[in-house]
Amino acid sequence: RMILIFEALLAGYIFWRAILPLRLHWGWKAALSALLAVAAFKFHLLHLFGGPMFFSPVLPEWLLLAAAWLFSVLFLFFFLLLAADIVGGLYRLVLFCLRKKKSERFRTIVNRVNLGLLVLSSVLATVGVIGGTSVPGVREETIAVGHLPEEADGMTIALLADLHADGITRADRIRRIVQRTNSLNPDLVVIAGDFVDGTVPVHGEDLRPLADLKARYGVFGVPGNHEYYSGYEEWMEFLPTLGVRMLPNEHVLTGGGNVVLAGVTDPVAGMTGREEPDIGKALEGAPPGKARILASHQPRLAHEAARQGVDLQLSGHTHGGMITGIDRLVARFNDGFVSGPYRVGSMKLYVSNGAGIWNGFPVRIGVPAEIVLIRLKRE
């Protein structure tokens, strides 16, 4: 419902601001309005023709990319128009204070500015889609962790998040992510949710390269919200066949017995009638005197994790905000957490930009995808 409201807002505002003022025959305006509606309501149109899964329509890759590019152009145009309206409003305010009238050419100038903003939006959307669908680079972070035994000092963790295997991210891209991760020779691999969009029969083979991940202490994961949209039970059975040990509200001892690695389910679990995230349960029976690391798809559990004595939380979900500037808005919906390292009380939190991107908006501008190599050191 929220997506439908935003689609309607996007279409209505751009029609009012950019199409209605044009000095064109009504037929041309009708044609432009129809194209606008197709691009703005792309989520529901793709769902109509692409099968029962709203977040993963089964359609050709070129069509998904084209639709995503068109929607991205509108999305960026929408925000650029808002910025232009703020500037225009200030200009009108100045004229009012000076008791002057708008120029006769004001409407022409506005239309030319709109055209320029549309061209800029198209360029940015092109750059963004290329950035969003490219193989992620490596970001290295050294994080001081409380209660880390001397034997685990220097231990490395490769953090992957938000792979989103789907109609755009297929097996070849997952394979390149795996190869780049293996080249880091991590001691541990943690996958912080949102493995996939779609069912096991459709996209199981796209995640098959995960079976080639190599780490001294193994590969572990937690579910993200998109696993619940994609057939939770089936994926929780399938992922372990790829060598990924899932940790839904449970923990393991790793790092030679020096580190407690716990995982939780995703907050949307309760909405689907499944077990909600329970940090206390995940840590139940964990031995004292060990570093406690929590894998949680969404970063907004960080305050509770800090209260429960977690030393380091690893999360994803936000995609880093995807676009510089928009990331501040994304942060507001995630308790202020969006990208990189944070300190929450005595606990450290790292929020990954994600190694993949969602097919619904595969855009990155100034916020690159990343494979994070975290090196632990004693605090």
Side-chain angles (χ1 to χ4, degrees), residues 222-292:
V222 291
N225 54 310
H226 282 247
E227 273 71 71
Y228 291 89
Y229 309 147
S230 302
Y232 176 77
E233 283 78 15
E234 290 81 4
W235 282 112
M236 292 297 283
E237 291 177 4
F238 180 78
L239 289 169
T241 70
L242 306 180
V244 182
R245 167 75 186 275
M246 300 299 288
L247 299 172
N249 292 336
E250 59 185 68
H251 74 269
V252 294
L253 268 180
T254 186
N258 296 298
V259 172
V260 174
L261 176 64
V264 289
T265 57
D266 190 82
V268 305
M271 298 168 55
T272 62
R274 298 178 177 91
E275 185 179 23
E276 296 184 359
D278 188 335
I279 299 171
K281 180 181 177 182
L283 292 171
E284 187 176 357
K290 312 289 185 184
R292 297 186 171 200

Side-chain angles (χ1 to χ4, degrees), residues 164-184:
H164 285 285
D166 53 31
I168 290 176
T169 299
R170 308 307 298 259
D172 59 338
R173 185 163 187 258
I174 300 296
R175 185 173 298 107
R176 284 180 285 169
I177 291 172
V178 167
Q179 290 170 347
R180 186 159 291 180
T181 303
N182 285 341
S183 71
L184 303 175

Side-chain angles (χ1 to χ4, degrees), residues 50-256:
M53 296 207 63
F54 185 82
F55 287 105
S56 185
V58 182
L59 292 168
E61 181 180 352
W62 67 267
L63 179 59
L64 293 174
L65 279 171
W69 180 82
L70 274 175
F71 181 82
S72 300
V73 171
L74 287 192
F75 182 88
L76 294 165
F77 190 40
F78 174 84
F79 282 98
L80 289 175
L81 283 177
L82 281 176
D85 278 347
I86 292 172
V87 174
L90 293 174
Y91 174 70
R92 291 185 184 92
L93 180 61
V94 170
L95 290 181
F96 177 79
C97 292
L98 296 176
R99 298 183 179 180
K100 291 184 178 181
K101 294 183 178 180
K102 288 188 298 185
S103 164
E104 293 286 337
R105 297 180 62 246
F106 186 78
R107 179 177 176 181
T108 301
I109 293 171
V110 167
N111 285 338
R112 288 178 179 175
V113 168
N114 289 349
L115 179 60
L117 294 179
L118 181 59
V119 171
L120 177 59
S121 300
S122 302
V123 172
L124 289 175
T126 302
V127 171
V129 169
I130 292 172
T133 54
S134 61
V135 177
V138 175
R139 178 172 175 176
E140 297 192 23
E141 291 281 341
T142 298
I143 299 179
V145 176
H147 306 104
L148 186 69
E150 186 176 353
E151 295 81 0
D153 191 34
M155 177 179 167
T156 57
I157 302 174
L159 172 61
L160 302 176
D162 303 289
L163 294 169
H164 285 285
D166 53 31
I168 290 176
T169 299
R170 308 307 298 259
D172 59 338
R173 185 163 187 258
I174 300 296
R175 185 173 298 107
R176 284 180 285 169
I177 291 172
V178 167
Q179 290 170 347
R180 186 159 291 180
T181 303
N182 285 341
S183 71
L184 303 175
N185 295 314
D187 293 316
L188 187 69
V189 174
V190 174
I191 306 177
D194 278 6
F195 289 77
V196 70
D197 284 295
T199 62
V200 171
V202 176
H203 290 298
E205 289 303 308
D206 291 322
L207 282 179
R208 185 70 63 183
L210 292 182
D212 296 325
L213 278 170
K214 294 178 176 61
R216 180 182 178 188
Y217 297 121
V219 180
F220 298 87
V222 291
N225 54 310
H226 282 247
E227 273 71 71
Y228 291 89
Y229 309 147
S230 302
Y232 176 77
E233 283 78 15
E234 290 81 4
W235 282 112
M236 292 297 283
E237 291 177 4
F238 180 78
L239 289 169
T241 70
L242 306 180
V244 182
R245 167 75 186 275
M246 300 299 288
L247 299 172
N249 292 336
E250 59 185 68
H251 74 269
V252 294
L253 268 180
T254 186

